[in-house]
């Protein structure tokens, strides 16, 4: 393993901005990251969450040294990616979002080539051991093109671990993946983490992040809108939302200590987000009726990641 980062964070990201080059004359390039900062604690499983287009892959590709940031600072395992590029690269293993393999190499060759690329001496190579870790021993000599999608994903994880980096980053490992493979990948990630590897994964499934991650950062439109221990974030998603249509406009929005938010969402419509451990829909309805209004229609739903986004962005 690479040496430094005895006590600092596994990854440190400070004010990172990325503006892609404009597609044509007179157009502005896309601002994919707008001043992103957070730390990934050593030994954690860290979730980077956000909807499509939020900037997750851009950030990961910057960590991997595959995309140039416009400004800001990133260090991996204590190595600045600009000043100490070589060590920074050695400290991180990346499982990219897209699966790309030369179809004529075998899994064993894929790992040996990668080891060669990182200059891992023959005596320190662990190709067969890594294949066993990802349950691909029996496919060691098969052509990569004959592997199923799930096997390819697992091979990519092994490939990312060839140089034994202390930090493993997986970009959307479970997007479009079936339940069984998802379970296998989670198991693999948890096992590596138990062995001391710091893991960063991106996903747009809150539930997935909830089960696996110790800490979650949410990114939206290139900005971090939350960076919290999973437990705290999940509590925010435990809210319930009730949408009411009334017979006429409300003079004042109802208030209650258990309401997180009450807002007018349209003509004679209000939406109330409340903590379901502290009140219930019945109580919400009677509060509104107490103002002498009739309720024409009611719908309720559980808050989802979208609501967490909304409440986070509106709270500044
Ligand atoms: P995510 O991984 O969260 O879905 P991305 O980092 O892929 O988001 O994309 C963030 C934004 O940057 C999107 O608006 C996307 O269209 C844009 N983008 C990504 N890659 C490029 C590129 N190579 N050139 C121009 N714009 C890009
Ligand atoms: Mg992406």
């Amino acid at each position: 393993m690479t040496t430094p980062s005895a006590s600092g964070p596994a990854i440190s990201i400070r004010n990172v901005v990325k503006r892609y080059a404009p597609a044509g004359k007179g157009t502005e390039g896309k601002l994919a990251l707008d001043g992103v900062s957070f730390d990934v604690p050593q030994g954690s499983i860290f979730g980077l969450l956000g909807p499509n287009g939020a900037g997750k892959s851009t950030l990961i590709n910057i960590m991997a040294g595959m995309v140039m940031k416009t400004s800001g600072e990133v260090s991996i395992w204590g190595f600045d990616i600009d000043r100490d590029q070589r060590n920074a690269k050695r400290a991180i293993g990346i499982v990219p979002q897209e699966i790309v393999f030369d179809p004529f190499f075998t899994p064993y060759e894929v790992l040996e080539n990668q080891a060669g690329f990182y200059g891992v001496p023959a005596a320190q190579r662990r190709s067969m051991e890594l294949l066993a870790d990802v349950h691909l021993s029996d496919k060691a000599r098969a052509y990569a093109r004959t592997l199923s999608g799930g096997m390819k994903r697992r091979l990519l994880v092994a490939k990312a671990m060839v140089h034994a980096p202390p930090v493993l980053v997986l970009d959307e490992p479970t997007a479009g993946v079936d339940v069984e493979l998802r379970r296998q990948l989670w198991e693999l990630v948890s096992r590596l983490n138990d062995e001391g590897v710091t893991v960063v994964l991106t996903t747009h499934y809150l539930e997935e992040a909830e089960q696996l991650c110790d800490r979650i950062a949410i990114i939206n439109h290139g900005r971090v809108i939350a960076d919290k221990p999973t437990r705290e974030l999940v509590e925010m998603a435990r809210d319930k939302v009730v949408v009411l249509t009334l017979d006429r406009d409300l003079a004042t929005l109802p208030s209650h200590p258990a309401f997180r938010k009450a807002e007018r969402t349209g003509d004679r419509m209000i939406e109330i987000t409340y903590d379901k451990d502290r009140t219930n829909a019945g109580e919400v309805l009677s509060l509104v009726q107490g103002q002498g209004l009739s309720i024409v229609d009611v719908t309720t739903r559980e808050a989802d990641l979208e609501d967490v986004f909304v409440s986070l962005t509106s709270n500044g």
Side-chain angles (χ1 to χ4, degrees), residues 20 30 32 51-58 97:
Y20 282 105
K30 172 77 193 176
N52 278 328
K56 304 181 298 295
S57 293
T58 298
Q97 188 169 349

Side-chain angles (χ1 to χ4, degrees), residues 90 112 114-126 162-164:
R90 284 182 166 271
E112 285 294 306
Q114 183 78 352
F117 177 76
Y118 276 100
V120 180
Q124 281 169 36
R125 292 190 187 177
R126 315 173 291 146
V162 152
H163 55 296

Side-chain angles (χ1 to χ4, degrees), residues 255-275:
S255 70
H256 185 279
F259 289 0
R260 294 222 200 267
K261 200 175 57 176
E263 61 180 359
R264 216 177 299 267
T265 51
D267 223 17
R268 295 178 291 119
M269 274 182 73
I270 59 170
E271 191 173 302
I272 295 164
T273 306
Y274 62 92
D275 180 342

Side-chain angles (χ1 to χ4, degrees), residues 212-227:
L212 267 180
C213 303
D214 310 307
R215 194 178 177 89
I216 294 175
I218 298 182
I219 180 171
N220 196 21
H221 300 302
R223 290 180 183 211
V224 175
I225 57 172
D227 172 16

Side-chain angles (χ1 to χ4, degrees), residues 29 50 244:
L244 301 175

